[in-house]
Amino acid sequence: MEVSSLLLEAANLMLTGMVVVFVFLSILIITIKTMSKLLVNFQDAQPVPAKPTLKTNSVPSSHVAAIAAAVKQYRSK
């Protein structure tokens, strides 16, 4: 094969790859913009209530004592 035909084939492959990437990114941008416009309609919906969080002092002292005893017994072995 001649060098010129190899260079022509390489340029063709490069151009094809660049076009495919450009088309893919264009479709991705259009899709994201469309979704953001559609999701604005759902923004005014009722927010989901947050799950209640545990307070740091909510563990009973009897549980703390039992855990401490179990840890002490485990470390003594």
Side-chain angles (χ1 to χ4, degrees):
M1 292 185 104
E2 290 184 26
V3 175
S4 60
S5 65
L6 286 174
L7 286 175
L8 187 60
E9 188 177 342
N12 187 16
L13 183 62
M14 180 184 68
L15 186 62
T16 303
M18 291 174 71
V19 168
V20 167
V21 169
F22 180 78
V23 169
F24 173 77
L25 290 177
S26 298
I27 292 172
L28 184 66
I29 290 171
I30 291 169
T31 304
I32 289 174
K33 287 188 179 213
T34 304
M35 286 178 61
S36 74
K37 287 180 182 178
L38 290 174
L39 290 177
V40 167
N41 298 335
F42 296 108
Q43 187 176 9
D44 296 329
Q46 292 289 335
V48 177
K51 293 181 181 178
T53 58
L54 296 176
K55 296 180 182 176
T56 57
N57 297 334
S58 64
V59 179
S61 59
S62 59
H63 290 175
V64 174
I67 292 171
V71 170
K72 183 178 179 181
Q73 182 181 4
Y74 175 75
R75 288 184 179 169
S76 68
K77 289 185 179 182

